[in-house]
């Protein structure tokens, strides 16, 4: 797909919250990443309400004051994890786009890659849980699912133009159905099996959905 024709709905939207200073040295940046990863592990396992800044400090063997230097509130920690969650998707999109597939196969591979990320990436897992717990967090987090729906609708419109879609498929409706199916699958996999089986369960669902979507 030419660079000018790439589907790029994922945008950086900094969330309004108190923040610590930007790291000026590699060591400070590594420390901040270490703290963020520890927070993600705890948020994913315990949720926002049952994770304290002291818990994060204990996990990284730092003082609470040292954690506060990088993240002045627990909300700032949560916001950083959510922002990193959303930052994963443009990277995945760039990787898949670079493989040079048609629009429909790009959609297939984006969702398959997202399933792997939900299985293996603690930041993605934590970000998903924090989005569910958004009423408990004193920050205006991004509205979930919107960018994924936009991306898939854009790809399916291009697939329609390329003759890759079944003639009765409406791209926007199909995109909404794919998003609902994917995030429903990941949630069920999380609840029942801690996402160990998400790649397999999504592959089953994707086979059915894309068979209905694809031109015969």
């Amino acid at each position: 797909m030419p660079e000018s024709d790439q589907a790029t709905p994922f945008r950086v939207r900094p969330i309004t919250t108190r923040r610590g200073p930007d790291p000026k040295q590699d060591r400070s940046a590594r420390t901040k990443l270490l703290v963020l990863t520890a927070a993600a592990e705890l948020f994913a396992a315990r949720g926002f309400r049952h994770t304290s800044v002291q818990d994060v400090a204990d996990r990284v063997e730092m003082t609470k004051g040292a954690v506060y230097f990088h993240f002045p509130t627990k909300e700032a920690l949560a916001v950083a994890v959510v922002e990193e969650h959303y930052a994963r998707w443009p990277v995945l999109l760039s990787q898949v786009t670079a493989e040079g597939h048609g629009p429909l196969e790009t959609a297939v591979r984006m969702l398959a890659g997202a399933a792997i990320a939900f299985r293996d990436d603690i930041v993605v897992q934590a970000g998903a849980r924090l989005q569910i717990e958004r009423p408990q967090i004193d920050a205006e987090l991004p509205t979930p699912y919107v960018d994924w729906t936009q991306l898939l609708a854009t790809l399916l419109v291009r697939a329609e133009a390329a003759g890759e879609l079944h003639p009765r498929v409406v791209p926007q409706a199909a995109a909404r159905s794919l998003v609902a199916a994917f995030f429903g699958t990941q949630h069920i996999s999380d609840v029942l099996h801690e996402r160990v089986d998400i790649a397999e369960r999504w592959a089953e669902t994707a086979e059915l959905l894309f068979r209905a979507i694809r031109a015969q």
Side-chain angles (χ1 to χ4, degrees), residues 10-65:
F10 299 112
R11 301 180 301 281
V12 176
R13 306 182 189 88
I15 302 168
T16 301
T17 190
R18 288 179 58 199
R19 297 176 185 267
D22 290 332
K24 296 293 191 286
Q25 299 178 345
D26 289 346
R27 181 178 178 182
S28 179
R30 287 195 299 270
T31 301
K32 188 169 186 176
L33 178 59
L34 184 67
V35 172
L36 186 145
T37 302
E41 292 168 352
L42 291 167
F43 286 142
R46 304 179 186 177
F48 180 78
R49 179 178 296 175
H50 299 292
T51 297
S52 69
V53 174
Q54 185 64 60
D55 293 331
V56 176
D58 291 342
R59 175 67 66 99
V60 293
E61 299 181 340
M62 295 169 58
T63 66
K64 188 162 66 171

Side-chain angles (χ1 to χ4, degrees), residues 117-137:
F118 271 98
R119 185 191 68 190
D120 296 344
D121 190 331
I122 195 65
V123 170
V124 171
Q125 296 165 10
R129 180 161 184 172
L130 290 169
Q131 281 285 27
I132 292 172
E133 298 176 350
R134 55 197 290 139
Q136 304 171 20
I137 304 171

Side-chain angles (χ1 to χ4, degrees), residues 8-207:
T8 55
F10 299 112
R11 301 180 301 281
V12 176
R13 306 182 189 88
I15 302 168
T16 301
T17 190
R18 288 179 58 199
R19 297 176 185 267
D22 290 332
K24 296 293 191 286
Q25 299 178 345
D26 289 346
R27 181 178 178 182
S28 179
R30 287 195 299 270
T31 301
K32 188 169 186 176
L33 178 59
L34 184 67
V35 172
L36 186 145
T37 302
E41 292 168 352
L42 291 167
F43 286 142
R46 304 179 186 177
F48 180 78
R49 179 178 296 175
H50 299 292
T51 297
S52 69
V53 174
Q54 185 64 60
D55 293 331
V56 176
D58 291 342
R59 175 67 66 99
V60 293
E61 299 181 340
M62 295 169 58
T63 66
K64 188 162 66 171
V67 172
Y68 277 132
F69 173 78
H70 294 286
F71 300 97
T73 65
K74 188 169 76 166
E75 284 76 15
L77 271 168
V79 162
V81 171
V82 169
E83 288 178 336
E84 283 299 315
H85 168 106
Y86 280 102
R88 295 316 202 242
W89 306 135
V91 174
L92 176 61
L93 178 58
S94 178
Q95 292 169 346
V96 172
T97 300
E99 295 172 0
H101 304 288
L104 192 60
E105 184 62 21
T106 296
V108 171
R109 290 176 181 260
M110 277 296 297
L111 289 167
I116 298 299
F118 271 98
R119 185 191 68 190
D120 296 344
D121 190 331
I122 195 65
V123 170
V124 171
Q125 296 165 10
R129 180 161 184 172
L130 290 169
Q131 281 285 27
I132 292 172
E133 298 176 350
R134 55 197 290 139
Q136 304 171 20
I137 304 171
D138 188 18
E140 190 172 345
L141 302 184
T143 303
Y145 316 126
V146 173
D147 277 355
W148 274 104
T149 304
Q150 180 186 343
L151 169 67
L152 293 172
T154 299
L155 290 170
L156 293 180
V157 166
R158 293 172 182 171
E160 182 180 45
E164 297 179 350
L165 287 195
H166 191 284
R168 294 184 180 179
V169 170
V170 178
Q172 291 78 7
R176 290 191 293 269
S177 296
L178 284 168
V179 169
F182 177 81
F183 285 96
T185 298
Q186 79 84 15
H187 178 71
I188 292 169
S189 176
D190 178 29
V191 171
L192 297 183
H193 303 292
E194 297 182 338
R195 297 192 181 95
V196 171
D197 65 342
I198 183 175
E200 292 78 15
R201 299 294 79 78
W202 173 245
E204 294 170 349
T205 305
E207 181 180 4

